[in-house]
């Protein structure tokens, strides 16, 4: 059974800082791994999706990496801005045909002006 | 393009009552998913529809939960009778491709409080 863990649970940084959010998973037989952002009272917004055959994906100031052998993914945010403040969630879909996203509990990021 | 719409956004009901949550996916999205986040826990999968058919309902907690998707369009999730532990945020998501290959669109969720 896949378990996804995100550390830290909360993170507060000053504006402009580069930061890394961590996600670990217990079962490396993943189909893909996704990073989402959730703003208070809002739904989840898909940020980056990494297929199992890929090592990383980039979108603007965001870069997500995937290392299946170590069971880890990281989300790198460059030059953080107050607008980046949100909860960031990682989730995996396992191989074998399942459609279930298995989520971590998320990291609540606060970027202070 | 309209997003995934969920109604109501909030619901407070008494234990033992019935509540029905509704989700309108993006038009043309065959895949519709329900997820739930109980306070302090991670978001968990409930079930997956492909058009009007239940593809996977392994995450449904018990038989007090009933999901339907009429004509492959909107979906409802009924909880009857509601219990205190059913409180949480219920999310709906849709996608046009299987396994989220091109990503999911999530609704804003319905916050259910059972008192």
């Amino acid at each position: 059974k896949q378990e996804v863990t995100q550390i830290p649970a909360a993170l507060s940084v000053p504006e402009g800082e580069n930061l890394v959010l961590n996600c670990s998973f217990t079962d490396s037989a993943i189909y893909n791994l996704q990073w989402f952002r959730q703003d208070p009272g809002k739904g989840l917004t898909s940020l980056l999706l990494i297929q199992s055959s890929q090592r990383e994906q980039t979108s603007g100031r965001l870069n997500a990496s995937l290392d299946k052998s170590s069971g880890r993914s990281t989300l790198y945010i460059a030059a953080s801005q107050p607008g980046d403040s949100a909860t960031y969630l990682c989730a995996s879909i396992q191989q074998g045909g399942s459609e279930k996203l298995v989520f971590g509990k998320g990291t609540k990021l606060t970027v202070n002006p | 393009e309209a997003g995934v719409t969920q109604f109501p956004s909030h619901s407070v009901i008494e234990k033992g009552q019935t509540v029905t949550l509704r989700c309108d996916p993006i038009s043309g999205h065959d895949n519709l998913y329900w997820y739930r986040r109980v306070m302090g826990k991670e978001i968990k999968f409930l079930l997956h529809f492909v058009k009007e058919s239940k593809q996977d309902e392994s995450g449904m907690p018990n038989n007090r939960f009933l999901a339907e998707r009429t004509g492959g369009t909107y979906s409802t999730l009924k909880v009857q009778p509601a219990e205190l532990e059913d409180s949480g945020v219920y999310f709906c998501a849709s996608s046009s491709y299987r396994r989220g290959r091109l990503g999911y669109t999530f609704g804003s969720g319905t916050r259910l409080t059972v008192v």
Side-chain angles (χ1 to χ4, degrees):
Chain A
K1 175 186 173 185
Q2 178 72 290
E3 292 182 3
V4 178
T5 303
Q6 291 187 249
I7 294 173
L11 180 64
S12 182
V13 300
E15 182 177 4
E17 189 163 300
N18 301 326
L19 58 99
V20 174
L21 305 181
N22 296 295
C23 172
S24 61
F25 45 93
T26 55
D27 187 345
S28 62
I30 62 172
Y31 178 75
N32 65 43
L33 185 138
Q34 304 182 43
W35 283 90
F36 295 88
R37 167 185 173 139
Q38 185 180 19
D39 294 283
K42 300 289 182 63
L44 280 66
T45 301
S46 182
L47 297 174
L48 291 165
L49 183 154
I50 311 176
Q51 299 290 353
S52 62
S53 58
Q54 298 174 322
R55 295 282 294 183
E56 65 178 344
Q57 283 286 331
T58 298
S59 176
R61 295 181 294 107
L62 305 180
N63 176 276
S65 67
L66 175 64
D67 184 343
K68 289 198 303 178
S69 62
S70 66
R72 293 181 182 179
S73 176
T74 60
L75 179 66
Y76 175 83
I77 302 177
S80 58
Q81 303 171 357
D84 295 331
S85 298
T87 296
Y88 291 81
L89 298 147
C90 73
S92 68
I93 291 182
Q94 297 307 108
Q95 294 181 7
S98 171
E99 292 271 348
K100 300 175 190 178
L101 278 166
V102 179
F103 283 89
K105 288 186 178 181
T107 294
K108 185 176 181 180
L109 173 66
T110 302
V111 181
N112 302 300
Chain B
E1 165 179 87
V4 175
T5 304
Q6 291 189 245
F7 183 83
S9 56
H10 294 83
S11 180
V12 180
I13 63 170
E14 293 184 351
K15 176 182 174 180
Q17 289 186 324
T18 297
V19 63
T20 300
L21 314 180
R22 173 168 169 150
C23 169
D24 286 73
I26 290 176
S27 178
H29 280 194
D30 289 340
N31 298 282
L32 186 149
Y33 313 82
W34 284 97
Y35 286 84
R36 175 175 78 166
R37 184 168 197 163
V38 173
M39 185 173 292
K41 303 285 188 179
E42 63 275 14
I43 298 172
K44 287 194 174 179
F45 169 87
L46 295 179
L47 86 159
H48 167 217
F49 283 99
V50 177
K51 297 184 180 179
E52 67 277 7
S53 299
K54 292 175 185 175
Q55 189 72 20
D56 181 356
E57 53 183 328
S58 62
M60 295 287 265
N62 50 61
N63 58 11
R64 295 186 293 103
F65 289 74
L66 175 64
E68 296 179 323
R69 189 177 183 192
T70 305
T73 57
Y74 70 92
S75 175
T76 57
L77 180 64
K78 179 188 289 188
V79 185
Q80 180 183 26
E83 298 289 344
L84 297 179
E85 64 264 25
D86 300 332
S87 295
V89 182
Y90 290 76
F91 292 101
C92 175
S94 71
S95 70
S96 54
Y97 287 89
R98 297 293 296 268
R99 313 194 82 189
R101 185 163 63 86
L102 292 185
Y104 298 90
T105 301
F106 276 79
S108 298
T110 293
R111 181 174 295 277
L112 174 65
T113 303
V114 182
V115 297

